[in-house]
Amino acid sequence: AGLPHPEVLAVFNQETAGVASDGCILVGKENWIDYLENMAAEEFIIKPVFGATGMGIKHIRRQERRWTDGETIQDSGGLYDYMQSYPHSPAYLLQRRVYNHADIAAFTSQRGFQTIRIVTYVNRDRRTEILYAGFKLIMGNGVIDNYRGGRTNNLFGFVDTDRGQIESLIVKGRNGEQAHYLDRHPVTETLLSEFKIPCWAETVQLANRAALTFLPIRCIGWDIGITQDGPCLIEGNIWWNPWNRKRYKHRIAEDLGFDPWIKKQQRGRR
């Protein structure tokens, strides 16, 4: 479909053969060890094919002739064993690591890749709408940007989709306190009003292109990262969060001619 995305280096499957990007079939542990030992990439991302909220994602870096995810160091056989024994997904993607645009790196002072969740809806006239967008910002030395209800200590900021600016940042309260809003990044102290998301028009355009490409699915939550070369798709989710239905519920109900959430509740009572 010509949609920009991080390069897929290989696909790992616990139950059958894997495949490298050059079409080479990888069968069994010895094949995978040979592939990992001789791959050109010095770092990459491993990501469960079936997963949610960033669980199971690791940033793998070469350390001499071994691999580290920042917590453990293992050889290529150990990395194979980890993917083979992961209980929550039978397959993994190995993707080349990508980096945020310099403006985003300066705004957040983070090396981890941070994405924007853009939720698209294709109406009955096949026109795309942006229901809402939110920037997922990493705190600390984390690899994933998922907010996960505040349990990751990351930040979530709703984006003004017309201007490409973060309206406010949500941060989890300490010691069980209620989450509260910030008007600046807590690390760099850059005011939200002073930061404009780079390549915003191109990012919205990519979300709209992707939405039409994946019809007949009409509502998708996209994770889009912005690199120095422009936006790229990380993934699309048909089950996405945060819900925040008050922000968009009426727009979907008006297009469908009924309220799907009421219909769902009525079915649940039968």
Side-chain angles (χ1 to χ4, degrees):
L3 299 171
H5 59 82
E7 179 188 357
V8 176
L9 303 174
V11 178
F12 179 92
N13 196 307
Q14 295 175 352
E15 300 171 354
T16 185
V19 61
S21 59
D22 62 0
C24 179
I25 303 301
L26 302 171
V27 182
K29 187 171 183 177
E30 293 305 316
N31 268 187
W32 272 101
I33 289 176
D34 183 65
Y35 168 76
L36 292 168
E37 292 290 321
N38 294 286
M39 70 187 307
E42 293 295 311
E43 57 180 339
F44 54 92
I45 299 295
I46 62 172
K47 180 178 182 178
V49 171
F50 299 101
T53 68
M55 299 295 289
I57 295 175
K58 290 183 178 290
H59 171 209
I60 305 298
R61 304 185 302 279
R62 194 186 297 274
Q63 187 167 311
E64 297 180 352
R65 293 189 59 82
R66 297 164 72 84
W67 301 101
T68 179
D69 61 1
E71 297 180 355
T72 61
I73 300 174
Q74 55 195 342
D75 59 17
S76 296
L79 182 56
Y80 171 92
D81 290 339
Y82 171 80
M83 293 189 290
Q84 182 65 34
S85 62
Y86 185 72
H88 305 298
S89 175
Y92 259 99
L93 289 180
L94 283 69
Q95 292 182 303
R96 189 176 299 279
R97 189 187 176 191
V98 290
Y99 298 88
N100 275 132
H101 191 284
D103 290 354
I104 296 173
F107 172 62
T108 63
S109 188
Q110 298 294 332
R111 295 189 72 248
F113 196 63
Q114 301 160 102
T115 63
I116 301 172
R117 168 62 54 86
I118 299 182
V119 180
T120 57
Y121 177 74
V122 182
N123 65 28
R124 64 177 68 188
D125 298 321
R126 292 177 64 89
R127 291 199 305 269
T128 57
E129 301 179 36
I130 304 294
L131 298 184
Y132 76 84
F135 213 146
K136 300 184 290 182
L137 301 177
I138 294 173
M139 291 292 288
N141 297 317
V143 174
I144 63 168
D145 61 4
N146 195 276
Y147 183 65
R148 209 180 295 162
R151 295 190 299 277
T152 59
N153 294 317
N154 290 336
L155 308 175
F156 188 89
F158 282 105
V159 173
D160 181 320
T161 56
D162 292 325
R163 297 184 300 132
Q165 284 192 291
I166 302 173
E167 297 173 319
S168 60
L169 284 173
I170 303 173
V171 61
K172 180 184 177 183
R174 296 182 178 179
N175 301 319
E177 297 174 359
Q178 186 174 359
H180 56 278
Y181 293 90
L182 304 174
D183 65 354
R184 67 190 67 208
H185 194 281
V187 176
T188 64
E189 298 189 347
T190 304
L191 290 169
L192 302 183
S193 60
E194 297 175 350
F195 174 69
K196 184 173 177 61
I197 299 171
C199 308
W200 181 247
E202 296 91 337
T203 300
V204 171
Q205 184 181 40
L206 175 57
N208 288 330
R209 264 180 66 203
L212 292 174
T213 300
F214 280 82
L215 283 172
I217 303 171
R218 296 175 63 183
C219 193
I220 298 178
W222 304 99
D223 286 340
I224 299 179
I226 302 174
T227 73
Q228 204 65 31
D229 296 323
C232 68
L233 282 176
I234 302 302
E235 64 182 39
N237 303 271
I238 58 173
W239 295 288
W240 41 264
N241 59 37
W243 296 98
N244 298 295
R245 292 190 304 217
K246 290 182 180 179
R247 284 180 172 254
Y248 59 80
K249 177 181 175 182
H250 65 284
R251 292 162 65 181
I252 295 179
E254 287 173 3
D255 182 63
L256 295 176
F258 65 92
D259 189 324
W261 291 277
I262 292 178
K263 288 279 188 182
K264 182 178 181 181
Q265 291 170 358
Q266 289 173 342
R267 288 197 301 268
R269 295 192 191 104
R270 292 175 184 172

